Amino acid sequence: DDAGHEAGDRVLASFAALLAALCRAEDLPARLGGDEFSVMLPGIELNGALGLAERMLGAVRSCAELAKRGVTVSVGIATWEPDDLPNDLLRRADEKLYAAKRSGGDSIAARD
């Protein structure tokens, strides 16, 4: 925010490109709004999602464009449960995201 909209746009574009490079063809990365993104990972269990999250944190930490802006990533992971509606999954992922942020950020929250 302090560097202006153009710098913010560059950070978002850099992160989106990094995220797209980490995802499989069948994954669905999307920007939810602001600086929040979501990735649907069909056919992936919790351990696979944790692996992607770890690779994402490592990639952000090693990306010069993001590092110079002090960008960190907080990840909240939720798995699909029987009888879930899409909003249930997003709500649980959002709860985990904020748990990761409360823990100091630059982290992953997935398990209760």
Side-chain angles (χ1 to χ4, degrees):
D1 288 339
D2 295 338
H5 291 292
E6 189 175 311
D9 288 346
R10 283 194 305 273
V11 165
L12 289 172
S14 293
F15 181 76
L18 182 148
L19 188 58
L22 292 171
C23 289
R24 305 168 302 161
E26 61 268 38
D27 297 339
L28 181 62
R31 181 175 172 213
L32 297 176
D35 63 352
E36 291 191 1
F37 289 77
S38 174
V39 183
M40 300 296 285
L41 303 169
I44 295 292
E45 300 291 328
L46 178 60
N47 284 338
L50 286 166
L52 173 63
E54 290 288 348
R55 290 189 303 278
M56 186 185 317
L57 264 66
V60 168
R61 290 171 182 154
S62 65
C63 176
E65 177 67 27
L66 299 177
K68 76 179 181 183
R69 299 284 180 201
V71 172
T72 62
V73 175
S74 297
V75 179
I77 297 174
T79 56
W80 190 266
E81 301 292 333
D83 301 322
D84 266 353
L85 297 173
N87 284 342
D88 297 329
L89 184 62
L90 284 172
R91 177 187 45 77
R92 286 197 315 277
D94 200 48
E95 289 169 358
K96 295 297 181 188
L97 168 65
Y98 281 92
K101 288 182 178 188
R102 282 191 304 275
S103 76
D106 203 36
S107 63
I108 301 165
R111 294 187 173 98
D112 289 324

